[in-house]
Amino acid sequence: MSTAIFPGTFDPITNGHLDIARRAAELFDHLIVTVYARPTKTLLFSTEERLDMAKKAFQDWPNVTVESYDGLTVDVARLKGAKAIVRGLRVVGDFEFEFQMALMNRTLAPEIESVCLMTTKEYYFLSSSIVKEVATLNGDISGLVPPYVVTALKNKIHALGDEAAERIKMITIRD
Ligand code: ADP
């Protein structure tokens, strides 16, 4: 059986992530979406919240499971018996980062392959960061994330009040 992991922060999960996962789930028998358990300092959602949203997204996908992890990505890949690390590529900037990560991961674990899938053109512009920013400014994000993520974002931004702005990196507004 071929297993792959799809690691990321997923803060929060978007339709761009879902698209990559759907396509990877067709390439491998088992896809494990691994949510990086990073401290929430620079993130909007806690590990538990990010994990819950990802679990909801994949609940009806028979060969996709969701887990959190910390430490090295190659270590979790080895632990799970995965032969590949799946990542998504959108822009040129992604390539440079993914290229460096893939070479480092191959240095650490030569038996594990990095597989980068090109974004679908509808999601070329889509990132968790831009979704968070637009949500903060009350823009319409339906169609970019699952409906429960729309709700979770609204609730989180409301609950955090002024602190939300500190936790969300603004890209489109520059001063
Ligand atoms: P990280 O914080 O490790 O970059 P993310 O949660 O942002 O993780 O993303 C996980 C993976 O999904 C990354 O490889 C990222 O490039 C990819 N990804 C995110 N959004 C898209 C998108 N719209 N199209 C294709 N790939 C995407």
Side-chain angles (χ1 to χ4, degrees), residues 19-25 27-28 86-90 115-120:
D19 175 61
I20 296 294
R22 178 186 57 75
R23 289 158 54 204
L27 294 175
F28 298 94
V86 172
R87 299 283 291 174
L89 280 183
R90 283 158 300 193
V115 175
C116 288
L117 301 179
M118 305 303 145
T119 187
T120 297

Side-chain angles (χ1 to χ4, degrees), residues 6-12 14-17 19-20 38 86-90 94 97-98 117-120 123-128:
F6 177 30
T9 311
F10 305 105
D11 184 46
T14 70
N15 290 349
H17 294 127
D19 175 61
I20 296 294
R38 224 170 69 178
V86 172
R87 299 283 291 174
L89 280 183
R90 283 158 300 193
D94 277 353
F97 176 74
E98 297 298 343
L117 301 179
M118 305 303 145
T119 187
T120 297
Y123 302 126
Y124 180 75
F125 64 96
L126 186 55
S127 66
S128 298

Side-chain angles (χ1 to χ4, degrees), residues 4-173:
I5 62 165
F6 177 30
T9 311
F10 305 105
D11 184 46
I13 196 151
T14 70
N15 290 349
H17 294 127
L18 292 177
D19 175 61
I20 296 294
R22 178 186 57 75
R23 289 158 54 204
E26 282 171 17
L27 294 175
F28 298 94
D29 297 320
H30 181 201
L31 181 72
I32 310 171
V33 176
T34 47
V35 178
Y36 190 44
R38 224 170 69 178
T40 39
K41 220 169 65 182
T42 55
L43 299 179
L44 189 60
F45 292 101
S46 69
T47 301
E48 195 138 291
E49 288 167 329
R50 289 181 286 122
L51 193 61
D52 278 355
M53 285 186 274
K55 278 188 175 160
K56 228 179 229 172
F58 298 110
Q59 63 189 358
D60 296 326
W61 301 30
N63 68 333
V64 179
T65 52
V66 180
E67 296 179 25
S68 66
Y69 81 107
D70 55 18
L72 281 175
T73 304
V74 289
D75 284 347
V76 75
R78 274 184 175 146
L79 193 71
K80 299 292 167 190
K83 65 177 188 181
I85 296 169
V86 172
R87 299 283 291 174
L89 280 183
R90 283 158 300 193
V91 288
V92 181
D94 277 353
F95 175 77
E96 235 170 90
F97 176 74
E98 297 298 343
F99 188 56
Q100 187 182 17
M101 280 308 303
L103 291 184
M104 177 50 96
N105 284 336
R106 177 121 47 96
T107 303
L108 296 169
E111 78 282 14
I112 296 168
E113 202 54 74
S114 292
V115 175
C116 288
L117 301 179
M118 305 303 145
T119 187
T120 297
K121 64 182 186 309
E122 286 78 9
Y123 302 126
Y124 180 75
F125 64 96
L126 186 55
S127 66
S128 298
S129 307
I130 204 157
V131 161
K132 285 183 280 190
E133 178 167 353
V134 172
T136 312
L137 302 171
N138 286 319
D140 181 8
I141 52 162
S142 57
L144 304 179
V145 294
Y148 51 83
V149 175
V150 177
T151 310
L153 270 166
K154 276 190 191 148
N155 291 344
K156 177 62 87 179
I157 290 163
H158 181 72
L160 284 175
D162 289 347
E163 206 197 310
E166 284 162 33
R167 303 253 287 259
I168 297 171
K169 196 175 70 190
M170 292 292 189
I171 314 164
T172 55
I173 298 174

